[in-house]
Amino acid sequence: MTTYDNTNKGALFGNTRKREGKKDPDLQGKININGTEYWLSAWFFIYDKDGEKKRGINLSIGEAVEDKAPAKSSNKFADMDDDIPF
């Protein structure tokens, strides 16, 4: 079976957490640039050019996905790391 190579490819999905009245992106996803995954956001807008309505899109490439990974929590309950005996 061949492995899918997603280098220099990405995907955007509708933002299901968009808040009313906020400037949240219309689309969010990830993009792989030269082997590093980045967060990707997009906003749609309409503008007037030469008397005609045009559609545009703004893209923002964010931090590398690894940089935004949740920090490992300090284990406050180290005594609970052992296996459950039953």
Side-chain angles (χ1 to χ4, degrees):
M1 181 180 213
T2 59
T3 308
Y4 178 73
D5 181 16
N6 66 348
T7 303
N8 298 323
K9 297 177 185 167
L12 286 168
F13 303 96
N15 183 1
T16 59
R17 295 179 282 161
K18 193 169 174 156
R19 300 167 294 174
E20 188 69 33
K22 302 292 182 182
K23 294 183 178 181
D24 296 331
D26 296 304
L27 303 171
Q28 291 181 313
K30 294 179 187 176
I31 187 167
N32 184 302
I33 300 174
N34 295 327
T36 303
E37 270 196 343
Y38 294 91
W39 294 110
L40 182 63
S41 299
W43 293 261
F44 294 121
F45 63 93
I46 297 175
Y47 64 98
D48 214 333
K49 183 175 182 183
D50 301 328
E52 290 184 39
K53 296 275 186 193
K54 304 284 185 176
R55 292 184 187 163
I57 187 169
N58 284 337
L59 293 176
S60 173
I61 298 176
E63 299 177 25
V65 172
E66 300 88 41
D67 295 346
K68 294 289 263 184
K72 291 185 180 180
S73 62
S74 62
N75 194 349
K76 295 180 183 179
F77 303 104
D79 60 331
M80 299 183 97
D81 278 347
D82 54 341
D83 291 332
I84 297 175
F86 48 89

